[in-house]
Amino acid sequence: MSHSPADAAARRAVPPVICYPNDTLPVPDLALYAAARAGGTKVSEVLVPPREAACFRAEAGQFFRITSVDGPQVGDLNLWNAHDLTERFYSGKTRALHGTHVTAGERLWSSFPHLRPMATITGDSLGWYGIDEFGGSVHDVIGTRCDPYTGNLLSGVQYHHCCHSNLTRALADELGVSLAEAEPHVHDVLNVFMCTGFTRDTGQYFMKASPVRPGDYLEFFAEIDILGCLSACPGGDCSSEHTSDTAACYPMLVEVFAPAPGALSGWQSPARNGYDGSHGR
């Protein structure tokens, strides 16, 4: 271990600077969205079985709500542009713009070169949780998803109901393609309802029992045409492990709502990012 320099305390005391001040981000019209949602009607629903995943679709201007049913359960969410799977949810940039966890009024951003809002969070029944004494919070964009490769690396197992594999199977079925074709489209997730953070001493990613209860929900406004896929994590509420055949697991409900005609007057789906793509040449 290296020795501390004489000015170590002074170096540590330098105040932090926010990397991406977000006060110039385009502001969603939450009042318009709320009014449109109030007059909306349900047009579809998908029940995601425990330890499995399922796909759903929401058109631009519709709302989709993820609800915990029967018992405490967390879910791993992937989103794509329904017409172009190369445009997908970018958890890292969403984290850089909004922070490690997201809630109502914040947005899920898409990958380069698009970098535009895919969905805006319009309702969060766990918004009260905030940040707890351990530094934990809900709906994180820091975890990647439980996967069979890390499981094999750490424990030598072949486990197929982890969220990565669940998402792969469900997407393959939705698109009518092979698992090998579907897997590259699966990406880092929004961990819906999951309570996570980083330890203060070692900086390790941690999870703890989610505060979610039946009836709790996270709701989104679809800014573009969305293909979504949600996995009901085999860890249940992730109170002990996130890849398990023994944890109590429950279904999750995805409902899609369409506003009344004319309710979104003046609203437009966001355009692709305005960078010219020249990269200095």
Side-chain angles (χ1 to χ4, degrees), residues 18-23 25 89-109 121 130-131 135-143 189-191 194 196-198 205:
I18 299 298
C19 293
Y20 294 100
N22 60 15
D23 53 354
L25 285 177
F89 170 51
Y90 189 175
S91 67
K93 190 57 66 177
T94 299
R95 177 174 65 248
L97 292 172
H98 294 302
T100 56
H101 301 76
V102 291
T103 189
E106 296 175 329
R107 301 175 122 168
L108 306 188
W109 295 80
I121 301 175
I131 300 175
S137 191
V138 292
H139 314 312
D140 89 62
V141 284
I142 49 179
V189 299
L190 168 62
N191 282 305
M194 193 172 180
T196 62
F198 292 110
Y205 181 54

Side-chain angles (χ1 to χ4, degrees), residues 161-197:
H161 283 272
C162 48
C163 289
H164 178 87
S165 296
N166 293 351
L167 294 166
T168 298
R169 290 193 305 274
L171 183 62
D173 291 345
E174 176 70 18
L175 299 178
V177 301
S178 69
L179 295 174
E181 291 172 293
E183 186 176 18
H185 294 295
V186 174
H187 51 278
D188 285 352
V189 299
L190 168 62
N191 282 305
V192 179
F193 304 139
M194 193 172 180
C195 190
T196 62

Side-chain angles (χ1 to χ4, degrees), residues 69-115:
V69 292
D70 296 344
Q73 178 67 44
V74 308
D76 286 41
L77 179 67
N78 267 188
L79 297 178
W80 299 268
N81 178 334
H83 311 291
D84 176 8
L85 267 62
T86 65
E87 182 177 10
R88 62 193 193 182
F89 170 51
Y90 189 175
S91 67
K93 190 57 66 177
T94 299
R95 177 174 65 248
L97 292 172
H98 294 302
T100 56
H101 301 76
V102 291
T103 189
E106 296 175 329
R107 301 175 122 168
L108 306 188
W109 295 80
S110 70
S111 54
F112 298 156
H114 313 276
L115 193 61

Side-chain angles (χ1 to χ4, degrees), residues 10-66:
R11 295 191 202 182
R12 292 192 182 101
V14 174
V17 176
I18 299 298
C19 293
Y20 294 100
N22 60 15
D23 53 354
T24 59
L25 285 177
V27 179
D29 190 341
L30 297 179
L32 176 66
Y33 295 172
R37 176 66 177 87
T41 57
K42 185 158 72 172
V43 294
S44 66
E45 69 175 42
V46 174
L47 188 66
V48 183
R51 294 190 177 83
E52 291 289 353
C55 289
F56 63 93
R57 292 177 184 267
E59 297 177 6
Q62 293 182 337
F63 298 83
F64 59 98
R65 173 181 285 212
I66 299 171

